Amino acid sequence: MPTMTVREALRDAMAEEMRRDEDVFVMGEEVAEYQGAYKVTQGLLQEFGPARVVDTPITEYGFAGLGVGAAMGGLKPVVEFMTFNFAMQAIDHIVNSAAKTNYMSGGQMRCPIVFRGPNGSASRVGAQHSQNYAPWYASVPGLLVIAPYDSADAKGLLKAAIRSPDPVVFLENELLYGQSFDVPEGEHVVEIGKARVHREGKDVTIVSYAIGVGLALEAANILAADGISCEVIDLRTLRPLDEAAVLASLKKTNRLVVVEEGWPVCSIASEIIAIAMEKGFDDLDAPVLRVTNKDVPLPYAHNLEKAAVVKAADVVAAVKSII
Amino acid sequence: MSPAAAKKAPSAKTTASKAAAAPSGLPKEKLLAMFREMLLIRRFEEKAGQLYGMGLIGGFCHLYIGQEAVVTGIQSAAKAGDAVITTYRDHAHMLACGMDPKGIMAELTGRIGGFSKGKGGSMHMFSVEKQFFGGHGIVGANVPLGTGLAFAQKYKNTGHITMTYFGDGAANQGQVYESFNMASLWQLPVIYIIENNEYAMGTSTKRHAANTELYKRGEAFGIPGVQVNGMNVLEVYEGAKKVIEHVRSGKGPYLMEVKTYRYRGHSMSDPAKYRTKEEVEDYKENRDPITTFRKYLEAEGIAGDAAFKKIEDEVKAIVNAAAEFAKESPEPEPTELWTDVLS
Ligand SMILES: Cc1ncc(C[n+]2csc(CCOP(=O)(O)OP(=O)(O)O)c2C)c(N)n1
Ligand SMILES: [Mg+2]
């Protein structure tokens, strides 16, 4: 299988879907001439021209709303946020205009739009540029929320997102953009709403998503050396959440740890715990643990940042505490 | 001179009676259709007010009484297939788009026969068929949405344009200016229509706008603006015709400020203590858009008592049938709770 970076996989997904469907267009800050603030849209302007690769002013509320309107008008916009931190200015349109319209119209109005961009903490950029919004969007009925880890899922899920008739929040991660993974050749579309077992195991299930999957796999390797067998589940889609996959694994291992690069309170991890309590209680041999960032705005100082962000050692410690 | 100033139309102070003397040159059928439309809106809204009083309509319900000439004049100048988007004060816009009054009223009562199967309510209705895109409850939010509809029209080269209606209060939202900027930058076929009814809930224009000449608010973006007397349907029509021609010919967005007045409270629960009875009475007595237009039609010899009576009877029958339907249509099945979350 050929390898490619997550960045290239995302670009290929957009390019392939734009070739396939003229109604697909990309808009956002610096997506065209600058080739993307993080170079994810590299080459798209050259292939598809300025009518389909649209540089916007710095006007998140405005262009998110404009994108939703364009989707209501029959187009399939891919709206890039330079990072999801800036989408807080646009969240009204993501939630009120995009997510609720199908329901409020009794099923008449489709809104086939993808909001995508890097999410979560990057490196040394301070609190305002370092937040994971997955739990925010995943709490909203009417949205699909996707957060891939590797290149294959980035490509396959972004293609599925662009084809979806419903609005999608597609959460990428700056630190993953440059990492390389295998990607199947040819047409590769991944079904939305299905988790993926990255590594099979029997003693404990580690559930995660996005960059947390890398930490979970790293921890699983370390723990294997100690004779502890971890099953690693990548949620991939956060709404709808693949409860069945989590519960099936819990049934097998009877222990659950959730790893999340984000705050602990009202998190995806909290949600997984609630699911385990409500639907997997009889399978639990130990309390479910959350392994997350610290509950503080992300600090800048190198040592403090390191202390605040979740790491593999935290996962190892959590697993050991319940075995 | 700025485009806005250059395009300035009769000021809001233009009285209705003076304006009514303007010759229209429109065919009789068109004039009568406009009268009928305004009357339908008036009677529909009165009926909605009654049903609200009877407890058949819940929550927010924003009536359009007094503003009838605005949407009637503009939509009479538009083409079928042009898109319309507006705020929560939306019943009239749907009627003017040709949506079935039964479906609108049944949505108000929260019944399965409503345009949104009872799941949207007064503020949230849509008709893809009639190119009516809501019905939006967040003040200002429909403005970028309308801009996006125009973006899609230009992208697909449809030849259609989008009428984006919003209030004087909404005109203070930042996203309105974000939209103006993009619409002008990309020369989108959108008309921004500010329905200036002098109040945003209880706050008068003077108290919420640093400059109350709202038609000038596109100036910084190179968007021409015009102010029109919204108490006179022919003035609105004439103003809209020029603006529509401009926008349809590909010259980019246009801003229309239509000076109007709402007779009722902001929504049904508003005691309207922020304005005097005299002010409201003055509009009703001296500037009512329906009375004014009727006088004009009579003076021009276009219709007399018998013709008006016939229209009044027809409209009453339509509204009564809508109310009956809205009462009799069942509530949505409990299973509807879970449908339409995703497609
Ligand atoms: C963002 C937002 N803020 C506040 C409200 C509550 N609200 C609803 S209508 C309204 C007044 C709007 O006035 P205007 O834009 O003049 O429109 P009109 O009601 O006069 O038609 C307010 C404050 C809202 N719906 N959305
Ligand atoms: Mg107002």
Side-chain angles (χ1 to χ4, degrees):
Chain A
M1 240 189 273
T3 68
M4 63 170 73
T5 62
V6 170
R7 174 183 285 116
E8 291 161 340
L10 292 165
R11 192 265 323 275
D12 285 1
M14 285 186 278
E16 286 177 21
E17 292 309 298
M18 289 176 83
R19 278 174 214 133
R20 192 176 163 265
D21 184 347
E22 284 208 339
D23 290 341
V24 179
F25 73 99
V26 175
M27 72 188 297
E29 291 157 20
E30 311 292 358
V31 297
E33 303 212 350
Y34 194 86
Q35 306 283 302
Y38 296 97
K39 301 288 175 268
V40 177
T41 52
Q42 184 113 43
L44 295 184
L45 174 68
Q46 285 66 23
E47 181 172 353
F48 300 103
R52 297 183 69 196
V53 186
V54 184
D55 275 329
T56 66
I58 308 161
T59 191
E60 279 79 5
Y61 198 6
F63 71 69
L66 190 149
V68 173
M72 290 172 173
L75 299 183
K76 291 170 188 154
V78 177
V79 172
E80 174 175 309
F81 291 115
M82 195 177 277
T83 81
F84 262 92
N85 301 286
F86 316 134
M88 267 210 271
Q89 299 196 345
I91 199 166
D92 173 47
H93 281 298
I94 301 173
V95 176
N96 270 317
S97 305
K100 297 178 183 174
T101 300
N102 192 51
Y103 195 82
M104 292 196 308
S105 69
Q108 250 195 91
M109 288 289 311
R110 294 286 175 277
C111 189
I113 188 169
V114 178
F115 299 102
R116 53 153 290 272
N119 171 63
S121 43
S123 185
R124 309 294 308 280
V125 289
Q128 289 181 337
H129 284 69
S130 308
Q131 190 175 332
N132 174 3
Y133 291 89
W136 290 35
Y137 294 112
S139 75
V140 180
L143 288 180
L144 298 168
V145 183
I146 298 170
Y149 166 61
D150 66 13
S151 303
D153 286 343
K155 182 176 181 191
L157 284 165
L158 184 54
K159 282 168 69 79
I162 293 170
R163 293 180 194 187
S164 164
D166 296 307
V168 179
V169 172
F170 195 91
L171 304 168
E172 301 160 7
N173 188 295
E174 190 198 325
L175 301 177
L176 291 175
Y177 279 152
Q179 295 194 22
S180 290
F181 301 90
D182 292 346
V183 176
E185 263 172 302
E187 181 75 352
H188 174 63
V189 184
V190 173
E191 190 184 346
I192 296 171
K194 291 276 179 279
R196 167 176 165 195
V197 180
H198 266 270
R199 177 188 177 117
E200 296 209 26
K202 57 180 178 40
D203 298 329
V204 59
T205 300
I206 307 175
V207 172
S208 191
Y209 63 94
I211 197 167
V213 175
L215 301 178
L217 291 169
E218 197 185 326
N221 270 335
I222 297 168
L223 288 159
D226 291 341
I228 301 171
S229 159
C230 300
E231 180 142 303
V232 176
I233 294 190
D234 178 359
L235 292 168
R236 302 196 291 187
T237 299
L238 305 176
R239 184 178 192 99
L241 205 84
D242 191 350
E243 290 184 8
V246 174
L247 292 168
S249 183
L250 172 61
K251 202 175 194 64
K252 183 166 126 189
T253 64
N254 305 113
R255 284 179 171 77
L256 200 54
V257 168
V258 193
V259 180
E260 183 164 15
E261 193 280 290
W263 288 320
V265 179
C266 299
S267 57
I268 299 293
S270 312
E271 184 61 24
I272 297 288
I273 292 177
I275 291 166
M277 287 297 286
E278 289 172 355
K279 300 179 183 171
F281 189 72
D282 291 341
D283 293 322
L284 283 170
D285 284 349
V288 184
L289 296 185
R290 291 183 276 197
V291 185
T292 66
N293 291 0
K294 300 298 182 287
D295 198 17
V296 296
L298 201 77
Y300 167 71
H302 182 64
N303 63 329
L304 296 182
E305 185 186 64
K306 245 179 93 181
V309 176
V310 61
K311 48 196 164 300
D314 302 338
V315 185
V316 171
V319 168
K320 285 190 170 168
S321 77
I322 55 164
I323 291 282
Chain B
M1 205 193 263
S2 72
K7 300 276 180 184
K8 191 175 178 198
S11 90
K13 290 194 185 80
T14 307
T15 58
S17 52
K18 215 194 290 169
S24 73
L26 285 172
K28 179 181 165 181
E29 297 70 39
K30 177 107 184 168
L31 291 168
L32 288 177
M34 284 159 81
F35 180 82
R36 187 176 184 279
E37 192 66 54
M38 287 204 288
L39 197 68
L40 176 64
I41 294 168
R42 172 79 48 103
R43 297 289 175 257
F44 183 96
E45 294 291 64
E46 287 167 351
K47 183 61 83 180
Q50 283 170 17
L51 297 189
Y52 195 95
M54 293 160 67
L56 286 160
I57 297 172
F60 293 130
C61 183
H62 309 86
L63 302 182
Y64 198 71
I65 298 175
Q67 302 183 207
E68 294 89 347
V70 182
V71 77
T72 304
I74 291 168
Q75 292 312 124
S76 298
K79 250 190 356 203
D82 288 341
V84 173
I85 189 164
T86 187
T87 69
Y88 43 84
R89 199 178 298 287
D90 57 354
H91 313 159
H93 302 75
M94 292 186 274
L95 292 168
C97 285
M99 288 165 67
D100 185 352
K102 287 182 179 165
I104 304 170
M105 198 70 93
E107 190 60 38
L108 300 188
T109 53
R111 306 303 174 89
I112 191 73
F115 269 100
S116 301
K117 300 197 278 188
K119 291 154 78 164
S122 163
M123 302 186 283
H124 311 295
M125 276 179 257
F126 306 82
S127 168
V128 177
E129 183 205 342
K130 303 285 185 194
Q131 291 289 291
F132 178 77
F133 292 92
H136 294 271
I138 306 298
V139 167
N142 64 307
V143 179
L145 296 175
T147 310
L149 290 167
F151 182 96
Q153 287 163 328
K154 178 160 181 164
Y155 188 103
K156 290 177 173 254
N157 203 7
T158 62
H160 285 297
I161 65 176
T162 299
M163 318 291 171
T164 301
Y165 292 85
F166 53 104
D168 49 284
N172 295 319
Q173 280 279 7
Q175 59 180 318
V176 169
Y177 301 93
E178 299 188 25
S179 302
F180 283 4
N181 184 44
M182 287 184 285
S184 183
L185 189 63
W186 299 332
Q187 292 289 287
L188 302 180
V190 56
I191 302 177
Y192 296 111
I193 300 144
I194 302 178
E195 299 199 47
N196 181 354
N197 59 11
E198 298 191 24
Y199 293 91
M201 283 183 75
T203 308
S204 67
T205 316
K206 285 180 208 68
R207 292 203 301 123
H208 74 60
N211 180 344
T212 56
E213 292 176 297
L214 302 179
Y215 66 95
K216 289 184 176 171
R217 289 200 168 187
E219 266 180 31
F221 307 95
I223 300 181
V226 62
Q227 190 186 59
V228 179
N229 172 16
M231 302 309 279
N232 184 292
V233 71
L234 291 179
E235 286 186 50
V236 177
Y237 175 84
E238 290 301 333
K241 227 173 84 174
K242 287 189 207 118
V243 169
I244 287 171
E245 246 172 55
H246 176 102
V247 173
R248 208 185 298 283
S249 71
K251 294 193 187 128
Y254 216 110
L255 174 56
M256 277 182 87
E257 178 192 2
V258 191
K259 295 277 284 172
T260 184
Y261 198 78
R262 76 169 146 72
Y263 295 179
R264 298 291 183 94
H266 167 70
S267 67
M268 300 305 294
S269 54
D270 171 12
K273 293 215 168 108
Y274 43 82
R275 58 187 188 185
T276 63
K277 271 213 172 70
E278 291 71 39
E279 179 183 305
V280 183
E281 284 312 309
D282 177 47
Y283 272 97
K284 287 189 186 171
E285 293 295 314
N286 304 316
R287 313 193 221 181
D288 181 74
I290 297 177
T291 311
T292 302
F293 194 41
R294 179 174 169 145
K295 281 188 187 151
Y296 167 82
L297 294 172
E298 281 170 345
E300 295 288 306
I302 289 162
D305 285 347
F308 287 123
K309 166 111 182 32
K310 188 161 165 270
I311 294 174
E312 181 80 59
D313 289 346
E314 279 170 17
V315 162
K316 204 177 274 173
I318 292 170
V319 168
N320 285 339
E324 274 320 297
F325 179 78
K327 287 180 204 164
E328 274 158 25
S329 175
E331 289 191 315
E333 291 290 329
T335 50
E336 280 293 341
L337 182 61
W338 296 104
T339 61
D340 308 320
V341 179
L342 296 174
S343 45

